[in-house]
Amino acid sequence: MNHFFAYVFRMRHIQRWSLMRSAEPENLSEHTAEVAMLAHALALIRRDILGVPCDPDRVAALALYHDAPETMTGDLPTPVKYANPRIRRAFGEIEAASRERLLQMLPDALRPEYEKLFDVEESGCFDLVKAADRLAAYIKCKNELKTGNEEFRRACEETRAALEGMKMPEVAYFMREFMPSFALNLHEMNDR
C-alpha cells in the first residue's frame, strides 16, 4: 500500500495565511492549483513571447508539487519562516525530511520522476515557480484589499516589491497584460 496521494490530497486541510484575518480563507490545494496555472502562463510567456526555450508543461508539473511537503509540516507564515537564518535553515531541514518521507511512500518505479518534481531548485525553472508563487500571493493580497481587508495592505506592498525586484520580463508582462483584470468585478470584465 502506498500513501503518497492520500497525503498529497490532504493539502486542502492546510490553511494558508494563518496569522492573518482573511475575508476569503485559502487552503494549500487552492494555492497550488493557482501557482501551477500561473507558472504555466509565465513559462508560455517566456517561450512564446520572449522566445526563450522553456517547457511550460514541466514548469506546471513542478509547481503542482512545490508545496507538497507542507502536508506534513503545515504552512509556516512567511514572516516567521524568514525571521532569521537559523529558523530558515531549520525549516529547510524539516521540509527536506518531509519531501523524503513523501517520496518513500511511492513505489520504487515512480520515485525517480517524483524526485525530479520535488527538486524544483535544481530544475532550471525555479525562477518561474518562485515568481508564480509570489504572483499568487500578490493576487490573494489584492483580492483581500478589494474586500476592504486592510490586514493585507503591507503584505501586498511587500509582495509587489519582491515581484518587481525579481526583474523578470515574464512577470512584467503578466503584471501589465493580466493583473489589471483582477481589479474588475465580473460585470466589468464582461463589458470589455
Side-chain angles (χ1 to χ4, degrees), residues 14-153:
I14 309 293
Q15 293 302 307
R16 292 183 38 83
W17 306 92
S18 61
L19 293 179
M20 298 174 77
R21 180 182 51 80
S22 292
E24 296 178 11
E26 178 184 61
N27 67 51
L28 189 58
S29 188
E30 293 165 327
H31 167 73
T32 298
E34 291 173 359
V35 171
M37 285 186 275
L38 292 167
H40 188 258
L42 293 176
L44 284 170
I45 292 166
R46 178 175 281 179
R47 186 189 72 192
D48 299 344
I49 293 176
L50 301 174
V52 178
C54 187
D55 180 354
D57 296 338
R58 177 84 178 144
V59 173
L62 288 163
L64 282 172
Y65 293 96
H66 83 283
D67 278 341
E70 290 184 13
T71 57
M72 293 186 177
T73 66
D75 179 45
L76 193 61
T78 298
V80 175
K81 187 187 284 188
Y82 297 102
N84 67 52
R86 204 166 136 213
I87 290 174
R88 180 66 198 130
R89 193 171 36 257
F91 193 70
E93 291 172 12
I94 292 168
E95 283 181 323
S98 176
R99 271 192 301 278
E100 187 55 38
R101 184 159 179 231
L102 281 171
L103 289 169
Q104 289 172 359
M105 294 178 185
L106 287 162
D108 291 342
L110 297 179
R111 195 171 301 143
E113 283 303 313
Y114 280 92
E115 284 173 348
K116 292 176 195 171
L117 290 174
F118 275 31
D119 203 3
V120 177
E121 292 184 37
E122 298 301 319
S123 71
C125 302
F126 178 66
D127 62 335
L128 292 172
V129 175
K130 187 67 178 167
D133 195 33
R134 284 192 176 144
L135 265 174
Y138 184 63
I139 292 166
K140 165 68 173 167
C141 291
K142 293 295 275 184
N143 285 337
E144 286 289 331
L145 288 172
K146 240 169 76 170
T147 70
N149 185 358
E150 289 296 314
E151 177 91 8
F152 280 78
R153 172 85 43 215

Side-chain angles (χ1 to χ4, degrees), residues 4 7 9 23 36 39-40 68 72 77 89 91 96-97 107-108 111 132 137 147 157 169 178-179 184 192:
F4 179 83
Y7 260 94
F9 273 58
H40 188 258
M72 293 186 177
R89 193 171 36 257
F91 193 70
D108 291 342
R111 195 171 301 143
T147 70
E157 293 165 359
F178 296 105
M179 216 37 232
L184 304 175
R192 293 180 182 197

